[in-house]
Amino acid sequence: MTVKEVITVHNLKRAMQFMLANLDRPVDLDLVKEYNRIVCESLCDKPGEIRSYPVRITGTDYKPGMPAIGKIEEVLQLAKEIDHP
């Protein structure tokens, strides 16, 4: 395995432990950012923060749109409504 692969597996293990320790915690933007911080630690720029710069997907012409905090919170609210109508 490469160093990056080892870090990825370790981070995913830590994220699962965090999830299991926080099952009763409401899903909100802070929780999502914490998962991102754990999973991306030592692998990407500014783990745990909403991306503020454009990115590309290697090998494709696709360019993901810029994330918007308002849209993320809207989707999280819709998810809560599905889970708890």
Side-chain angles (χ1 to χ4, degrees):
M1 292 184 101
T2 67
V3 171
K4 184 176 180 180
E5 290 169 332
V6 171
I7 292 170
T8 299
V9 171
H10 178 70
N11 288 358
L12 291 171
K13 174 187 173 243
R14 290 178 45 237
M16 182 174 289
Q17 291 170 326
F18 177 78
M19 178 189 69
L20 293 173
N22 289 278
L23 289 174
D24 294 332
R25 185 171 163 183
V27 178
D28 59 14
L29 185 57
D30 288 335
L31 183 67
V32 171
K33 288 167 72 173
E34 183 61 14
Y35 279 119
N36 177 271
R37 187 195 65 73
I38 294 168
V39 171
C40 293
E41 190 171 7
S42 299
L43 296 173
C44 53
D45 294 334
K46 301 178 183 177
E49 295 183 25
I50 303 297
R51 181 173 51 83
S52 60
Y53 51 88
V55 296
R56 297 186 62 144
I57 305 296
T58 304
T60 73
D61 293 330
Y62 178 69
K63 296 178 187 175
M66 293 297 294
I69 291 176
K71 184 65 174 174
I72 295 168
E73 289 174 333
E74 179 183 320
V75 170
L76 291 172
Q77 183 58 42
L78 288 172
K80 286 179 190 177
E81 291 171 11
I82 291 169
D83 192 36
H84 302 287

